[in-house]
């Protein structure tokens, strides 16, 4: 039961449609410290109604900005959906960020309310984030500040029936602050249409993910658009039983992979670098185990590229049992698709993990593109590239090799920063990514960043 959101929809429309079509379907799962708990879409709507009722009492009006700083958990979803449903603009912050950086983003956005996981952090924020009128703490709130309240006290026992958002598709849905590696963070303005357009494009590009019930394990920060779009909003578009499981944390990730057996994860290369480092510890150079492993990877890679000989195909079931299945079991044994982004996974690791049977959907994008601008297709999958543009998106390569992107996924601009907006968005609507690319047969290969390019005396430009 797939949903293809219409271009005129808001994110609230998507959530309401998912609830309407499958109120009994599995939606969310999390560990409460004692046991794993499940929530259906109907139950999620009821809980969002409580959060919406609480927010409605805070003297907020559509377009007001409200902050969110928490680990991935079901309350993140409830707050986000409740806020969007009232036409508010969500400003997610990395929960482990420096207080001064968080305060800058909140103040720059003019945020009036903040959901804070750790109430102790408010002591460090209170003198800097001076636009806030209310702070809701998921754990105990400081008793010394009238602005601060615990979520238990703040939430009513009974919520409201959910209604469509007063926001229009082209209006602001979220402000997502970039990391600020080259100065102060910039607030990327994304509309409902930006994000919904990206959801439509992803579902069209990889329709295979919608074919059956899926289990997503959520562990990348929801404050980043990659996890938020691919690991939170995309499941709403999929099968009625596309369930999001919130991992307990990075330290418990390995255990959660094995116990929860996800079928899809949204990941960055570091996770697979860690997995392989553990595997390599048990593969002494020249040992029979290493030779078997290398043989399995070699034949598995050839099978992926459809270049395996008859003899290699006949040998594969044995190598699969002795080697590949054991490595796949380390990640739960049922992992079907891996959305990989954020950086490039080393080619030898792509070959290894693809060779033992994992399917990578390698993609590329930026916060400014909602974020997925390109990705591989199942029928044309070169995991060494970042694939083709997603449907509805145009790309071009400038003379200097820079990638430009145009389409409905491109941001509205940077909040309160017209100069920065003008520097990357030209008058024809092309977003200048700052990334150097190579294009071959329509596929895009990322080669470096503009600011890192070294120009030799002969004029040749070399990305490091």
């Amino acid at each position: 039961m797939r949903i293809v959101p219409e271009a005129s929809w808001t994110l609230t429309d998507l959530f309401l449609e998912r609830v309407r079509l499958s109120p009994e379907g599995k939606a969310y799962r999390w560990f409460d410290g004692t046991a794993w708990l499940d929530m259906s879409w109907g139950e999620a709507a009821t809980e969002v109604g409580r959060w919406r009722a609480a927010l409605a009492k805070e003297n907020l009006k559509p377009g007001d900005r409200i902050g969110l700083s928490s680990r991935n958990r079901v309350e993140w979803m409830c707050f986000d959906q409740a806020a969007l449903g009232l036409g508010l603009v969500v400003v997610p912050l990395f929960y482990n960020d420096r207080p001064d950086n968080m305060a800058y983003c909140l103040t720059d956005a003019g945020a009036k309310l903040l959901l804070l996981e750790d109430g102790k952090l408010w002591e460090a924020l209170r003198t800097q984030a001076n636009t806030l009128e209310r702070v809701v703490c998921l754990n105990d709130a400081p008793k010394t500040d009238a602005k601060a309240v615990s979520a238990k006290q703040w939430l009513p026992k009974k919520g409201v029936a959910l209604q469509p958002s007063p926001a229009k598709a082209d209006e602001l849905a979220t402000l997502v602050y970039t990391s600020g590696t080259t100065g102060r963070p910039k607030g990327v303005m994304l509309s409902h249409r930006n994000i919904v357009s990206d959801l439509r494009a992803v579902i069209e590009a990889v329709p295979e993910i919608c074919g059956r019930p899926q289990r997503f394990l959520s562990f990348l920060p929801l404050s980043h658009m990659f996890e938020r779009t691919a690991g939170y909003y995309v499941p709403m578009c999929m099968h009625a039983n596309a369930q999001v499981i919130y991992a307990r944390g990075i330290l418990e990730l390995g255990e959660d992979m094995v116990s929860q057996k996800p079928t899809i994860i949204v990941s960055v290369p570091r996770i697979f670098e860690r997995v392989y480092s553990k595997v390599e510890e048990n593969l002494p150079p020249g040992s029979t185990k290493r030779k078997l492993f290398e043989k399995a990877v070699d034949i598995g890679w050839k099978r992926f590229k459809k270049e395996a000989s008859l003899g290699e195909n006949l040998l594969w079931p044995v190598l699969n049992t002795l080697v590949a299945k054991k490595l796949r079991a380390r990640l739960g044994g049922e992992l079907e698709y891996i959305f990989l982004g954020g950086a490039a996974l080393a080619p030898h690791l792509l070959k290894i993990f693809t060779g033992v049977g994992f399917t990578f959907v390698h993609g590329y994008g930026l916060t400014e593109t909602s974020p997925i601008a390109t990705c591989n297709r199942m029928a044309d999958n070169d995991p060494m590239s970042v694939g083709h543009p997603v449907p509805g998106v145009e790309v071009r390569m400038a003379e200097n090799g820079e990638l430009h992107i145009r389409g409905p996924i491109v941001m509205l601009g940077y909040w309160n920063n017209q100069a920065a907006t003008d520097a990357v968005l030209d008058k024809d609507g092309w977003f200048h990514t700052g990334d150097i690319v190579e294009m071959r047969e329509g596929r895009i290969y990322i080669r470096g960043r503009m600011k890192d390019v070294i120009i030799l005396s002969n004029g040749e430009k070399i990305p490091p």
Side-chain angles (χ1 to χ4, degrees), residues 116-358:
L116 195 60
E117 177 163 338
D118 186 359
K120 294 176 183 176
L121 191 57
W122 176 234
E123 294 300 326
L125 281 172
R126 60 190 299 181
T127 58
Q128 304 176 67
N130 50 30
T131 64
L132 292 173
E133 298 170 5
R134 170 69 74 192
V135 177
V136 180
C137 305
L138 289 175
N139 56 12
D140 292 336
K143 295 183 173 58
T144 55
D145 193 327
K147 288 183 181 179
V149 63
S150 72
K152 287 181 181 178
Q153 294 174 307
W154 184 69
L155 286 167
K157 291 184 179 179
K158 188 173 171 112
V160 296
L162 300 186
Q163 301 294 330
S165 173
K168 305 300 182 189
D170 288 321
E171 292 179 349
L172 192 58
T174 188
L175 275 181
V176 183
Y177 280 82
T178 59
S179 59
T181 52
T182 55
R184 281 294 198 182
K186 297 188 290 289
V188 176
M189 297 190 291
L190 296 178
S191 68
H192 288 269
R193 190 185 301 278
N194 288 149
I195 301 169
V196 167
S197 296
D198 209 33
L199 299 178
R200 285 171 57 89
V202 171
I203 293 299
E204 187 176 337
V206 281
E208 294 86 352
I209 64 174
C210 300
R212 69 176 185 86
Q214 302 283 8
R215 293 184 303 280
F216 284 73
L217 188 66
S218 176
F219 57 89
L220 294 185
L222 277 165
S223 53
H224 295 174
M225 280 308 299
F226 185 33
E227 176 69 28
R228 189 170 169 189
T229 294
Y232 164 30
Y233 296 137
V234 164
M236 289 184 195
C237 301
M238 292 170 53
H239 197 282
N241 289 333
Q243 186 178 39
V244 175
I245 304 166
Y246 295 109
R248 290 174 292 167
I250 291 298
L251 294 178
E252 298 88 0
L253 185 58
E255 295 175 13
D256 290 351
M257 291 286 289
V258 173
S259 69
Q260 300 306 302
K261 301 187 182 307
T263 59
I264 298 180
I265 60 171
V266 180
S267 187
V268 290
R270 183 62 181 147
I271 299 301
F272 292 91
E273 292 165 1
R274 288 175 177 171
V275 170
Y276 183 65
S277 68
K278 296 276 189 183
V279 171
E280 199 169 33
E281 290 173 4
N282 298 315
L283 297 173
S287 66
T288 302
K289 286 175 69 174
R290 179 173 280 274
K291 290 176 182 176
L292 269 175
F293 182 83
E294 291 172 349
K295 189 69 172 175
V297 167
D298 181 57
I299 292 178
W301 178 248
K302 287 180 179 177
R303 281 168 55 82
F304 170 77
K305 297 178 71 179
K306 297 180 171 54
E307 296 173 356
S309 67
L310 175 61
E312 288 169 332
N313 278 320
L314 290 173
L315 184 58
W316 174 250
V318 176
L319 292 172
N320 185 38
T321 300
L322 293 176
V323 178
K325 272 188 178 178
K326 292 179 180 178
L327 181 50
R328 294 199 301 271
R330 285 174 175 254
L331 297 178
E334 297 184 21
L335 195 54
E336 193 171 358
Y337 303 111
I338 301 159
F339 291 124
L340 191 66
L345 181 59
H348 75 285
L349 292 180
L350 271 171
K351 181 178 178 180
I352 287 168
F353 284 101
T354 301
V356 298
F358 291 110

Side-chain angles (χ1 to χ4, degrees), residues 417-431:
N417 198 335
Q418 191 60 47
T421 300
D422 293 341
V424 296
L425 267 179
D426 67 29
K427 61 182 176 58
D428 295 318
W430 289 99
F431 171 64

Side-chain angles (χ1 to χ4, degrees), residues 9 17 20 89 147 188 230 358 392:
W9 281 14
E17 182 66 2
R20 185 186 72 81
V89 177
K147 288 183 181 179
V188 176
F358 291 110

